[in-house]
Amino acid sequence: MASNSNTVEKTTPEVDISGQVESFSIATAPSEDHAHHHHKHHLLHKYNESGETAEDDDHDDACCPRSPVTFGPSPAVEKSHGLTRLLKNNRAWSKAIRERQPDFFEKCSKGQQPKVFWIGCSDSRVPENELLQLAPGEVFTHRNIANVVVGTDLNCLSVLQYAVDVLKVEHVVVCGHYGCGGVAAALGDSSFGLIDHWLGNIKQVKQEHLSNLNEIKDTEEKCRALVEINCRNSVLTVAKTPTMRAAWERGQNVEIIGMVYDIQTGLLGELGYHIKSMDDLQSHLKVDSNALFAARASKAATA
């Protein structure tokens, strides 16, 4: 990777990765009315038990029973997470699921048929099952620091192959999130030890789009922009793998979707990258940050 430390040093403020939780944290408040909460169908959660598409009815538990993952506020409201408390939480969770669906674990033990493969960040604030409101068995997952996908990561590529070739997932979701400590660290030049090797992948993406990133003076906004670029880059890396090429060549119905999660709102946003075939990939061979930043500037001007 070509270095350009002088340029970065003058234009990019140093970012302290150890302070990311504090600097990007938000005050959390309990839901205004948990008693009247209804499960909302997500874009990807629209199937009944037979695997066919179900009608999108927010109140229809028959076609889309509410995920047993979340039953309201987490019981672990204290800061202490000792083994005793963790085991107590697990027993309460298991009991609540069995009371709602007695045969849930029996069915789960017989195999998995997830329709979604999620590639996300290891950040503890981005739990894919929770934010998608999907139950255990419905999301196949690979997570790493800053949801990076590179052609040399045999771990990620092996999970991708299993998800596509064996589980036959229909959606490969690559999801970044705002307030990502890994991306923020890649904006600066500080050394953090072993993790520097991993952050080098993001730094390379940063260098490729440095002129546009340097147009953004606000550090947090610059981080948000790099989060989006990094996620788009990972989407394209997935799309270019032999696994995806082979799947599309044999006519398999599987798409790659780029998303970003906003930890300040709890909402997912789509990045405009839906790649369903090799033809789709041809129009997205490289992340065009010129177009992205032109759109960003236009949106800011009209806001």
Side-chain angles (χ1 to χ4, degrees):
M1 180 179 71
S3 64
N4 192 4
S5 58
N6 291 335
T7 303
V8 178
E9 199 168 71
K10 292 179 180 179
T11 57
T12 305
E14 202 170 272
V15 181
D16 178 13
I17 190 174
S18 64
Q20 287 308 305
V21 174
E22 290 78 16
S23 62
F24 287 106
S25 65
I26 57 171
T28 56
S31 172
E32 292 182 0
D33 191 354
H34 279 289
H36 294 88
H37 171 79
H38 292 283
H39 166 53
K40 300 296 185 181
H41 286 260
H42 184 266
L43 169 68
L44 305 177
H45 192 198
K46 54 182 180 181
Y47 303 93
N48 57 26
E49 292 184 358
S50 67
E52 298 176 351
T53 303
E55 293 298 322
D56 188 20
D57 181 352
D58 286 346
H59 308 290
D60 188 358
D61 269 1
C63 79
C64 186
R66 184 179 175 214
S67 164
V69 178
T70 305
F71 292 91
S74 168
V77 294
E78 299 178 2
K79 290 188 177 181
S80 172
H81 292 286
L83 179 59
T84 300
R85 183 166 188 81
L86 295 179
L87 292 175
K88 181 179 178 181
N89 288 351
N90 169 254
R91 283 158 174 73
W93 173 79
S94 176
K95 179 182 178 181
I97 290 180
R98 283 183 279 111
E99 288 176 348
R100 181 177 178 84
Q101 191 174 339
D103 62 346
F104 177 82
F105 291 111
E106 179 184 355
K107 288 182 176 179
C108 212
S109 67
K110 294 179 180 179
Q112 58 175 326
Q113 294 181 315
K115 296 183 183 293
V116 179
F117 173 41
W118 176 278
I119 301 175
C121 181
S122 299
D123 195 299
S124 62
R125 300 166 294 176
V126 193
E128 62 282 347
N129 283 75
E130 290 278 355
L131 62 91
L132 294 175
Q133 278 290 274
L134 297 181
E138 294 188 274
V139 187
F140 197 61
T141 304
H142 175 84
R143 296 171 70 176
N144 62 49
I145 293 175
N147 47 273
V148 172
V149 181
V150 289
T152 56
D153 185 356
L154 296 182
N155 184 348
C156 180
L157 298 183
S158 297
V159 182
L160 171 67
Q161 182 179 16
Y162 188 82
V164 174
D165 293 355
V166 179
L167 297 178
K168 306 295 184 184
V169 297
E170 297 178 6
H171 313 282
V172 177
V173 178
V174 182
C175 186
H177 71 95
Y178 299 131
C180 181
V183 172
L187 278 174
D189 293 316
S190 297
S191 177
F192 303 101
L194 181 63
I195 195 177
D196 291 344
H197 297 283
W198 189 252
L199 295 178
N201 296 302
I202 312 173
K203 286 178 176 287
Q204 183 173 354
V205 174
K206 177 191 70 175
Q207 287 297 125
E208 293 172 359
H209 304 276
L210 190 61
S211 60
N212 281 318
L213 285 169
N214 283 339
E215 293 298 316
I216 302 176
K217 304 307 177 185
D218 180 75
T219 304
E220 185 172 348
E221 187 62 24
K222 183 178 294 186
C223 183
R224 289 170 68 92
L226 185 54
V227 162
E228 295 177 8
I229 293 174
N230 178 61
C231 184
R232 285 181 168 93
N233 188 73
S234 289
V235 168
L236 297 186
T237 303
V238 171
K240 295 173 184 177
T241 60
T243 293
M244 296 307 303
R245 179 186 297 273
W248 287 327
E249 286 179 349
R250 63 176 174 260
Q252 186 171 335
N253 179 29
V254 54
E255 67 174 346
I256 310 169
I257 307 168
M259 289 188 170
V260 64
Y261 176 68
D262 191 335
I263 61 175
Q264 294 188 350
T265 65
L267 298 177
L268 284 168
E270 298 185 55
L271 292 176
Y273 274 33
H274 280 219
I275 303 178
K276 302 180 180 180
S277 65
M278 291 303 299
D279 289 339
D280 285 347
L281 177 58
Q282 293 305 310
S283 61
H284 293 292
L285 288 177
K286 188 176 181 181
V287 177
D288 183 1
S289 63
N290 290 327
L292 294 175
F293 278 81
R296 178 183 289 269
S298 176
K299 181 178 180 180
T302 56

